[in-house]
């Protein structure tokens, strides 16, 4: 089984990446082949809303998304990881999500299959500095609709509050254990 993970944190080695890496360790230990894409290292422009994608479900903007699209549609399992920025995903993650408008068009306008793989599942990992009661409400909706648009079942999530300083999440072994278990469950077809 192939697991694609996409890291939307602008900070390398930060809490979100630490948690994601634990999830990937759980997936690998369950027999999966894992790949991690770091959005910070890519050149992804925002959606320009030129609607060229309505012709064939293909984005016309030529940048690093052209190499990421095939990975997204050909993976069996997907993990998106982003810290919370103003109650949403990072700008890096949001640009990638918005560019998948072409896949939404493919599915809902052109009524074409997004992927040749029938059973695709995904998970969302997010780490936030604050403790707000509704901290993850908006981002959870964004991620559920994103996964739907790309034909991935939103099957699990790990939402972590109160970790801001770089590496602080390492002091929360229960979070790292939960991340490992998320990766394992995702590969073993168990919901969260």
């Amino acid at each position: 089984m192939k697991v694609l993970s996409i890291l939307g944190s602008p900070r390398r080695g930060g809490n979100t990446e630490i948690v994601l890496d634990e999830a990937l360790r759980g997936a690998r230990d369950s027999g999966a082949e894992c790949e991690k894409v770091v959005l910070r290292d890519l050149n992804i422009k925002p959606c320009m809303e030129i609607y060229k994608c309505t012709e064939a479900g293909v984005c016309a903007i030529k940048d690093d998304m052209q190499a990421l699209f095939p990975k997204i549609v050909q993976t069996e399992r997907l993990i998106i990881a982003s810290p919370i920025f103003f109650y949403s995903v990072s700008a890096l993650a949001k640009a990638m999500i918005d560019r998948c408008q072409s896949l939404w068009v493919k599915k809902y306008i052109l009524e074409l299959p997004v992927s040749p793989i029938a059973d695709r599942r995904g998970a969302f990992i997010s780490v936030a500095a604050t403790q707000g009661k509704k901290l993850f409400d908006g981002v959870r909706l964004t991620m559920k609709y994103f996964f739907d648009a790309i034909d991935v079942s939103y099957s699990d999530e790990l939402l972590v509050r109160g970790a801001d300083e770089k590496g602080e999440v390492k002091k929360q072994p229960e979070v790292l254990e939960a991340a490992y278990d998320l990766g394992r469950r995702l590969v073993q077809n168990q919901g969260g």
Side-chain angles (χ1 to χ4, degrees):
M1 176 170 294
K2 183 171 181 180
V3 176
L4 174 67
S5 67
I6 300 176
L7 176 65
S9 179
R11 180 166 63 178
R12 290 302 304 256
N15 294 310
T16 304
E17 188 167 18
I18 291 166
V19 174
L20 174 61
D21 287 346
E22 273 302 294
L24 292 175
R25 190 170 72 83
R28 278 189 199 95
D29 286 354
S30 294
E33 173 190 330
C34 299
E35 178 180 359
K36 181 168 73 174
V37 172
V38 180
L39 294 177
R40 170 189 167 150
D41 297 340
L42 302 180
N43 174 24
I44 297 177
K45 297 175 182 143
C47 176
M48 301 305 289
E49 208 172 6
I50 55 177
Y51 293 104
K52 185 78 174 162
C53 61
T54 59
E55 294 173 14
V58 176
C59 183
I61 300 171
K62 304 298 181 214
D63 61 10
D64 290 339
M65 271 304 291
Q66 296 303 322
L68 187 53
F69 281 125
K71 292 178 183 192
I72 290 171
V73 300
Q74 293 168 8
T75 194
E76 295 168 89
R77 301 293 182 263
L78 177 65
I79 303 173
I80 305 291
S82 174
I84 294 295
F85 282 32
F86 288 93
Y87 283 63
S88 189
V89 293
S90 69
L92 297 168
K94 189 63 167 79
M96 183 272 305
I97 289 168
D98 289 352
R99 288 289 298 286
C100 288
Q101 175 72 11
S102 60
L103 299 178
W104 179 90
V105 164
K106 194 173 207 178
K107 179 178 179 178
Y108 287 108
I109 303 298
L110 302 176
E111 298 180 353
L112 297 170
V114 172
S115 172
I117 300 165
D119 179 29
R120 297 182 351 121
R121 298 178 191 208
F124 176 56
I125 293 173
S126 188
V127 180
T130 64
Q131 299 282 348
K133 183 179 177 184
K134 297 186 178 227
L135 184 59
F136 297 109
D137 288 4
V139 74
R140 184 181 278 137
L141 266 177
T142 298
M143 295 313 300
K144 285 181 178 181
Y145 282 109
F146 168 63
F147 278 38
D148 175 74
I150 63 171
D151 257 350
V152 171
S153 173
Y154 188 97
S155 64
D156 215 338
E157 63 186 16
L158 178 56
L159 310 174
V160 181
R161 288 177 164 83
D164 189 23
E165 295 298 319
K166 189 173 183 178
E168 187 175 352
V169 77
K170 290 180 183 178
K171 298 174 189 171
Q172 300 177 34
E174 70 283 0
V175 169
L176 301 179
E177 185 178 320
Y180 181 89
D181 287 343
L182 179 147
R184 185 187 49 73
R185 283 192 310 271
L186 195 61
V187 171
Q188 296 174 357
N189 296 322
Q190 302 168 354

